[in-house]
Amino acid sequence: MDGWVIWFIAAGVLLVIEMFTLTFYLLWLGIGALVAAVVGLLFPDSLVIQIIAGAVASLLLTIYTKPLTRKFRSGRGYRDAIDELVGKEGIIVDPVVIGRTGIVKVGNETWSATADEPLQAGETVTVIHRGTTVLEVRKKGG
């Protein structure tokens, strides 16, 4: 099998995995693999040139798009959908004990949750803060 075909397969796999993770890092690696595939078509006998071209493309995309995405996120009118969880109501699914996370359902999603007081399953809560993967909640009306 020709090297460029392997690069195209690798690019396809990376791009499909990226669709599930949404991190953009695998996207840049996938595009780097596509660059290596094109170089493989032009220089089929030089694996080193293919690897260097793919690596350089991935590295440049990673370095130069980080400031662009940061600028986009800080632009006027941009709101992260996850930030909109603050203020929404949810239902405790797994009890929250002080010092240990529980589970809260907000809309159709379940999240890990912490609170300043113990909360039992079935209690209605309000999201007061969002961490990376954990929501801080308070008993509704509390």
Side-chain angles (χ1 to χ4, degrees), residues 18-120:
E18 172 61 33
M19 288 183 210
F20 292 107
T21 63
L22 301 175
T23 60
F24 285 109
Y25 295 115
L26 293 177
L27 175 64
W28 307 147
L29 291 175
I31 292 172
L34 283 174
V35 168
V38 170
V39 171
L41 281 169
L42 299 174
F43 303 101
D45 295 330
S46 182
L47 180 62
V48 173
I49 293 175
Q50 296 170 29
I51 292 171
I52 290 172
V56 167
S58 297
L59 184 64
L60 290 175
L61 285 168
T62 301
I63 290 171
Y64 287 110
T65 57
K66 188 71 168 176
L68 289 175
T69 57
R70 190 176 303 126
K71 183 177 179 181
F72 174 73
R73 286 178 178 241
S74 65
R76 209 173 105 192
Y78 175 80
R79 286 199 48 122
D80 190 347
I82 293 175
D83 289 334
E84 293 180 4
L85 288 171
V86 175
K88 290 199 173 190
E89 291 182 7
I91 303 287
I92 299 294
V93 175
D94 186 37
V96 176
V97 179
I98 296 176
R100 188 175 66 85
T101 60
I103 305 291
V104 63
K105 184 173 184 177
V106 180
N108 293 326
E109 299 176 334
T110 56
W111 290 80
S112 295
T114 62
D116 292 338
E117 61 182 313
L119 300 169
Q120 300 302 315

Side-chain angles (χ1 to χ4, degrees), residues 110-133:
T110 56
W111 290 80
S112 295
T114 62
D116 292 338
E117 61 182 313
L119 300 169
Q120 300 302 315
E123 289 189 84
T124 303
V125 294
T126 303
V127 178
I128 58 172
H129 182 263
R130 178 193 70 91
T132 306
T133 59

